[in-house]
Amino acid sequence: MSLPVPDLALRAEDRAPSASLEASTPSRPAGKWPSRLRWTLGCLGLFVGTRFLLGSAYRVPSPSMVPTLAVGDLVFAESFTVGGPIPGVPWSRPRLRALRPADVVLFRVPYDVATIYIKRVVGLPGDTIGMRNGVLLRNGRRDPALSRDSLFVDRASDPADFVWHEPFRIATGADDSARAALPTARDWGPLVVPAAHVFVLGDNRGASRDSRHLGFIPDSLILSRAMVVYWRNGRPILHHPL
């Protein structure tokens, strides 16, 4: 009785496709970035692109903009048209829209650039800005779009906060000497806003630390323009305009 002979040719043929497939698989190109690095760079690009094209959220930390903005409000601020530095990277955006009176902006405090404030623009380059008995005057007139007179609560002022006013102040008449000698938070100026700067105030005029104390805000420190409140008191809202 003869024993069955293994079909060696068939087995060799069975192995051939595997060997052929292995031989045809291309090797990884030398120098190709690992997928993790590509993913990291993609996320970084998405983050920078979002900050560049859209803007960012900001939580209101103080009552200086009451009643427009309450403490804890979440505000969306657009940075695309405003221009200026891009947060987190050493680049800047071009300005596509000039700032206007009544714009609510986020900016870095001149003497403490790590701190960000949110205030309302009330004076542009070349404007004369002052306050008489709590009434804001822009170019000698009361502007209804900027007025928050009824919200003003008189509080004690530190004269040292107003020393910086003197080089920018212009004389206006007989009562000028008394006002220049002792300016207060509700009675100061008029001041001329220099080029490439703005003058900002909080809507809550009696409880805001703003350009009256900080000085003019350079354009280069303005980060974004507040557009809408989207979260208040623990629930979503849509509050616009500011």
Side-chain angles (χ1 to χ4, degrees), residues 185-204:
R186 60 180 292 119
D187 199 357
W188 49 270
L191 312 174
V192 179
V193 183
H197 291 72
V198 296
F199 197 96
V200 299
L201 291 176
D203 284 356
N204 191 1

Side-chain angles (χ1 to χ4, degrees), residues 50-90:
T50 300
R51 300 299 292 269
F52 182 90
L53 293 174
L54 299 178
S56 59
Y58 176 78
R59 183 182 295 275
V60 178
S62 77
S64 69
M65 286 292 291
V66 168
T68 308
L69 300 175
V71 176
D73 279 358
L74 288 179
V75 177
F76 176 76
E78 69 89 10
S79 51
F80 179 60
T81 65
V82 172
I86 304 173
V89 296

Side-chain angles (χ1 to χ4, degrees), residues 16-102:
S18 174
S20 175
L21 180 62
E22 181 178 348
S24 64
T25 302
S27 60
R28 194 172 209 171
K32 189 174 182 179
W33 289 350
S35 59
R36 181 173 295 180
L37 179 58
R38 294 199 306 273
W39 181 85
T40 302
L41 293 177
C43 289
L44 179 61
L46 180 62
F47 169 77
V48 172
T50 300
R51 300 299 292 269
F52 182 90
L53 293 174
L54 299 178
S56 59
Y58 176 78
R59 183 182 295 275
V60 178
S62 77
S64 69
M65 286 292 291
V66 168
T68 308
L69 300 175
V71 176
D73 279 358
L74 288 179
V75 177
F76 176 76
E78 69 89 10
S79 51
F80 179 60
T81 65
V82 172
I86 304 173
V89 296
W91 305 319
S92 294
R93 297 172 295 263
R95 175 161 292 175
L96 303 179
R97 172 190 178 276
L99 290 175
R100 302 168 186 168

Side-chain angles (χ1 to χ4, degrees), residues 121-157:
V121 174
V122 299
L124 301 176
D127 285 345
T128 58
I129 300 294
M131 194 172 279
R132 298 292 175 267
N133 298 318
V135 177
L136 177 68
L137 300 177
R138 176 174 177 255
N139 297 325
R141 296 186 299 274
R142 181 180 180 274
D143 186 339
L146 306 176
S147 297
R148 304 292 185 273
D149 311 332
S150 62
L151 305 175
F152 205 112
V153 178
D154 198 10
R155 299 188 178 186
S157 301

